[in-house]
Protein backbone atom coordinates (compact mmCIF):
# COMPACT_ATOMS: atom_id res chain seq x y z
CA UNK A 1 0.00 0.00 0.00
CA UNK A 2 0.94 3.65 -0.15
CA UNK A 3 3.42 4.90 2.38
CA UNK A 4 3.64 8.25 4.11
CA UNK A 5 3.79 11.08 1.61
CA UNK A 6 4.95 14.64 2.11
CA UNK A 7 4.74 17.75 0.01
CA UNK A 8 6.46 19.68 -1.25
CA UNK A 9 9.65 17.65 -1.49
CA UNK A 10 11.68 20.84 -1.61
CA UNK A 11 10.85 24.38 -0.56
CA UNK A 12 12.96 27.49 -0.90
CA UNK A 13 11.66 30.58 0.82
CA UNK A 14 12.83 33.99 1.89
CA UNK A 15 13.46 34.88 5.49
CA UNK A 16 10.29 36.22 7.08
CA UNK A 17 7.85 34.33 4.87
CA UNK A 18 5.42 31.72 6.17
CA UNK A 19 5.57 28.13 4.89
CA UNK A 20 3.22 25.17 5.09
CA UNK A 21 4.41 21.60 4.91
CA UNK A 22 1.97 18.77 4.34
CA UNK A 23 1.94 15.16 5.46
CA UNK A 24 -0.38 12.36 4.34
CA UNK A 25 -0.03 9.43 6.73
CA UNK A 26 -0.67 5.81 5.93
CA UNK A 27 -4.40 5.23 5.74
CA UNK A 28 -5.78 4.08 9.08
CA UNK A 29 -2.80 5.16 11.13
CA UNK A 30 -3.97 7.03 14.19
CA UNK A 31 -0.65 8.49 15.31
CA UNK A 32 1.31 11.09 13.35
CA UNK A 33 4.67 12.61 14.18
CA UNK A 34 6.74 15.53 12.94
CA UNK A 35 10.52 15.54 13.25
CA UNK A 36 13.26 17.67 11.76
CA UNK A 37 16.84 17.01 10.78
CA UNK A 38 19.08 20.02 10.53
CA UNK A 39 22.22 19.93 8.42
CA UNK A 40 24.93 18.01 10.20
CA UNK A 41 22.68 17.37 13.18
CA UNK A 42 20.53 14.54 14.35
CA UNK A 43 16.81 14.10 14.26
CA UNK A 44 14.69 15.95 16.78
CA UNK A 45 11.07 15.53 17.76
CA UNK A 46 8.69 18.41 17.08
CA UNK A 47 5.08 17.35 17.71
CA UNK A 48 2.85 14.32 17.63
CA UNK A 49 -0.85 13.64 17.29
CA UNK A 50 -2.53 10.65 18.85
CA UNK A 51 -6.06 10.03 17.66
CA UNK A 52 -8.41 12.65 19.09
CA UNK A 53 -6.18 13.50 22.05
CA UNK A 54 -4.50 16.87 22.44
CA UNK A 55 -1.22 16.86 20.53
CA UNK A 56 2.13 16.68 22.32
CA UNK A 57 3.76 19.95 21.27
CA UNK A 58 6.71 19.70 23.63
CA UNK A 59 9.30 19.64 20.85
CA UNK A 60 8.24 22.76 18.96
CA UNK A 61 11.21 25.14 19.10
CA UNK A 62 9.25 28.39 19.17
CA UNK A 63 5.75 29.81 18.86
CA UNK A 64 6.42 30.39 15.17
CA UNK A 65 5.85 26.67 14.69
CA UNK A 66 2.39 25.13 14.74
CA UNK A 67 0.73 22.05 13.36
CA UNK A 68 -2.75 20.74 12.89
CA UNK A 69 -4.26 17.48 11.86
CA UNK A 70 -7.60 17.63 10.14
CA UNK A 71 -10.05 14.77 10.27
CA UNK A 72 -7.53 12.51 11.90
CA UNK A 73 -5.61 12.19 8.65
CA UNK A 74 -3.65 14.87 6.81
CA UNK A 75 -1.40 17.13 8.86
CA UNK A 76 0.08 20.54 8.11
CA UNK A 77 3.14 21.98 9.82
CA UNK A 78 3.26 25.77 9.57
CA UNK A 79 6.32 27.89 10.19
CA UNK A 80 5.63 31.60 10.45
CA UNK A 81 8.20 34.30 9.80
CA UNK A 82 10.82 31.78 8.78
CA UNK A 83 14.41 32.22 9.91
CA UNK A 84 17.58 30.82 8.38
CA UNK A 85 17.99 28.44 11.30
CA UNK A 86 14.70 26.81 10.28
CA UNK A 87 16.46 25.34 7.24
CA UNK A 88 16.27 21.58 7.67
CA UNK A 89 14.60 18.44 6.42
CA UNK A 90 11.17 18.09 8.00
CA UNK A 91 10.10 14.49 8.36
CA UNK A 92 6.67 13.11 9.05
CA UNK A 93 5.98 9.62 10.37
CA UNK A 94 2.88 7.67 11.22
CA UNK A 95 2.10 4.58 13.23
CA UNK A 96 -0.93 2.34 13.45
CA UNK A 97 -1.53 3.23 17.07
CA UNK A 98 0.10 5.29 19.74
CA UNK A 99 1.18 2.52 22.06
CA UNK A 100 3.66 3.86 24.57
CA UNK A 101 6.66 3.31 22.37
CA UNK A 102 5.74 -0.12 21.03
CA UNK A 103 4.62 0.89 17.55
CA UNK A 104 6.77 0.93 14.44
CA UNK A 105 6.87 4.37 12.89
CA UNK A 106 6.82 4.70 9.11
CA UNK A 107 8.64 7.73 7.79
CA UNK A 108 7.86 9.90 4.82
CA UNK A 109 10.55 11.11 2.39
CA UNK A 110 10.74 14.52 4.04
CA UNK A 111 10.48 18.13 2.91
CA UNK A 112 13.79 19.90 2.46
CA UNK A 113 13.32 23.51 3.53
CA UNK A 114 15.85 26.19 2.68
CA UNK A 115 15.38 29.68 4.08
CA UNK A 116 17.42 32.31 2.27
CA UNK B 1 24.97 14.82 28.08
CA UNK B 2 22.68 13.48 25.35
CA UNK B 3 19.97 11.11 26.48
CA UNK B 4 20.93 8.72 23.66
CA UNK B 5 24.57 8.14 22.81
CA UNK B 6 25.82 6.15 19.84
CA UNK B 7 29.28 4.93 18.96
CA UNK B 8 31.16 5.06 16.77
CA UNK B 9 30.06 8.17 14.88
CA UNK B 10 31.72 6.95 11.71
CA UNK B 11 32.67 3.47 10.66
CA UNK B 12 34.36 2.13 7.57
CA UNK B 13 34.63 -1.54 6.77
CA UNK B 14 35.66 -3.93 4.05
CA UNK B 15 32.99 -6.08 2.49
CA UNK B 16 32.45 -9.18 4.56
CA UNK B 17 33.45 -7.70 7.90
CA UNK B 18 31.36 -8.03 11.05
CA UNK B 19 30.01 -4.65 12.16
CA UNK B 20 28.91 -3.54 15.63
CA UNK B 21 27.21 -0.26 16.47
CA UNK B 22 26.48 0.62 20.08
CA UNK B 23 23.75 2.66 21.72
CA UNK B 24 23.43 3.76 25.34
CA UNK B 25 20.52 5.68 26.78
CA UNK B 26 19.71 7.32 30.07
CA UNK B 27 15.91 7.50 30.12
CA UNK B 28 13.44 4.81 31.11
CA UNK B 29 11.93 3.18 28.06
CA UNK B 30 9.58 0.43 27.03
CA UNK B 31 11.25 -0.33 23.69
CA UNK B 32 14.22 0.76 21.59
CA UNK B 33 14.18 1.39 17.85
CA UNK B 34 16.94 0.96 15.29
CA UNK B 35 16.50 2.96 12.10
CA UNK B 36 18.40 3.07 8.83
CA UNK B 37 18.77 6.23 6.75
CA UNK B 38 20.07 5.77 3.23
CA UNK B 39 22.06 8.44 1.35
CA UNK B 40 18.87 9.53 -0.39
CA UNK B 41 17.46 10.43 3.01
CA UNK B 42 14.69 7.88 3.43
CA UNK B 43 14.37 6.38 6.91
CA UNK B 44 13.35 2.79 7.47
CA UNK B 45 12.62 1.08 10.75
CA UNK B 46 14.86 -1.96 11.20
CA UNK B 47 14.02 -3.22 14.66
CA UNK B 48 11.97 -2.47 17.71
CA UNK B 49 12.94 -4.44 20.78
CA UNK B 50 12.49 -4.42 24.50
CA UNK B 51 14.52 -7.45 25.57
CA UNK B 52 16.93 -10.06 24.32
CA UNK B 53 17.76 -10.30 20.66
CA UNK B 54 16.10 -9.96 17.28
CA UNK B 55 17.45 -11.11 13.93
CA UNK B 56 16.47 -10.11 10.43
CA UNK B 57 18.64 -11.48 7.68
CA UNK B 58 22.21 -10.37 8.33
CA UNK B 59 21.15 -7.84 10.96
CA UNK B 60 21.00 -8.65 14.65
CA UNK B 61 19.91 -6.31 17.43
CA UNK B 62 20.39 -6.92 21.12
CA UNK B 63 19.33 -4.99 24.17
CA UNK B 64 20.11 -5.05 27.88
CA UNK B 65 17.41 -3.04 29.62
CA UNK B 66 19.15 -3.15 33.01
CA UNK B 67 22.35 -1.71 31.55
CA UNK B 68 20.45 0.63 29.19
CA UNK B 69 22.49 -0.52 26.24
CA UNK B 70 21.76 -1.91 22.80
CA UNK B 71 23.90 -3.10 19.94
CA UNK B 72 23.26 -3.51 16.23
CA UNK B 73 25.36 -6.09 14.44
CA UNK B 74 25.74 -6.65 10.72
CA UNK B 75 27.23 -9.94 9.65
CA UNK B 76 29.01 -10.35 6.31
CA UNK B 77 28.71 -6.63 5.56
CA UNK B 78 28.05 -5.51 1.99
CA UNK B 79 28.43 -2.14 0.25
CA UNK B 80 24.63 -1.84 0.11
CA UNK B 81 24.67 -1.71 3.92
CA UNK B 82 26.30 1.72 3.66
CA UNK B 83 23.93 4.08 5.43
CA UNK B 84 23.43 5.99 8.66
CA UNK B 85 22.15 3.80 11.49
CA UNK B 86 20.17 5.58 14.16
CA UNK B 87 19.17 4.43 17.61
CA UNK B 88 15.98 5.97 18.99
CA UNK B 89 14.05 5.61 22.22
CA UNK B 90 10.59 6.67 23.33
CA UNK B 91 10.57 7.64 27.03
CA UNK B 92 8.06 5.72 29.17
CA UNK B 93 4.44 6.11 28.16
CA UNK B 94 5.19 8.32 25.19
CA UNK B 95 5.62 7.63 21.52
CA UNK B 96 7.84 10.56 20.62
CA UNK B 97 11.33 9.39 19.74
CA UNK B 98 14.60 10.72 21.12
CA UNK B 99 17.34 10.00 18.61
CA UNK B 100 21.01 9.22 18.82
CA UNK B 101 23.30 11.18 16.54
CA UNK B 102 23.64 8.23 14.20
CA UNK B 103 26.52 6.10 12.99
CA UNK B 104 27.62 6.60 9.40
CA UNK B 105 28.71 3.26 7.97
CA UNK B 106 30.61 2.87 4.72
CA UNK B 107 31.35 -0.60 3.44
CA UNK B 108 33.88 -0.83 0.64
CA UNK B 109 34.12 -3.71 -1.84
Amino acid sequence: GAGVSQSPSNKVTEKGKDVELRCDPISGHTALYWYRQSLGQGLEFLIYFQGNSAPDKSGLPSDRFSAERTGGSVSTLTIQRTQQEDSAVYLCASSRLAGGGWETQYFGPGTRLLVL
Amino acid sequence: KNEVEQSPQNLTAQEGEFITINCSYSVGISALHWLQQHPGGGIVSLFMLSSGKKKHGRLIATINIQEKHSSLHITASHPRDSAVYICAVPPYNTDKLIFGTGTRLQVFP
Side-chain angles (χ1 to χ4, degrees):
Chain A
V4 177
S5 61
Q6 293 185 244
S7 61
S9 53
N10 291 280
K11 176 73 177 178
V12 180
T13 191
E14 293 178 349
K15 177 181 171 182
K17 302 279 191 184
D18 297 351
V19 295
E20 285 189 350
L21 312 179
R22 176 187 168 107
C23 172
D24 281 271
I26 293 172
S27 178
H29 279 196
T30 61
L32 185 149
Y33 315 80
W34 284 98
Y35 301 101
R36 77 173 175 182
Q37 188 171 34
S38 303
L39 185 64
Q41 298 191 23
L43 285 148
E44 60 175 329
F45 164 78
L46 295 176
I47 183 171
Y48 93 93
F49 298 87
Q50 174 187 342
N52 295 321
S53 302
D56 180 340
K57 305 179 183 180
S58 60
L60 295 179
S62 78
D63 58 9
R64 297 186 294 104
F65 288 71
S66 63
E68 62 177 20
R69 188 177 186 192
T70 53
S73 181
V74 171
S75 177
T76 302
L77 177 69
T78 301
I79 310 173
Q80 295 179 308
R81 304 181 304 281
T82 52
Q83 303 294 312
Q84 288 181 330
E85 61 262 28
D86 299 334
S87 297
V89 177
Y90 289 82
L91 290 150
C92 175
S94 71
S95 64
R96 189 174 56 91
L97 299 170
W102 288 97
E103 291 290 323
T104 296
Q105 295 186 22
Y106 298 85
F107 286 78
T111 293
R112 190 175 300 273
L113 174 67
L114 178 62
V115 182
L116 300 176
Chain B
K1 187 177 187 300
N2 292 335
E3 292 169 297
V4 183
E5 299 273 359
Q6 276 186 246
S7 63
Q9 282 191 298
N10 293 284
L11 188 53
T12 58
Q14 289 295 125
E15 183 173 358
E17 286 185 7
F18 181 81
I19 303 293
T20 296
I21 299 169
N22 295 299
C23 174
S24 297
Y25 54 93
S26 58
V27 296
I29 66 168
S30 50
L32 180 143
H33 300 244
W34 280 102
L35 309 171
Q36 180 190 55
Q37 185 170 31
H38 274 283
I43 295 177
V44 174
S45 178
L46 296 175
F47 293 104
M48 182 175 56
L49 68 167
S50 61
S51 65
K53 180 168 73 173
K54 283 191 174 180
K55 185 174 188 293
H56 183 230
R58 294 180 295 104
L59 273 60
I60 303 167
T62 63
I63 189 168
N64 184 318
I65 290 285
Q66 286 73 29
E67 294 186 3
K68 296 188 174 180
H69 181 270
S70 176
S71 294
L72 177 68
H73 306 285
I74 305 175
T75 62
S77 59
H78 190 277
R80 65 175 174 266
D81 297 326
S82 298
V84 176
Y85 293 84
I86 304 167
C87 169
V89 299
Y92 271 137
N93 295 321
T94 75
D95 290 276
K96 61 185 182 186
L97 294 177
I98 302 173
F99 299 88
T101 52
T103 295
R104 185 176 300 276
L105 171 65
Q106 288 186 294
V107 182
F108 294 98

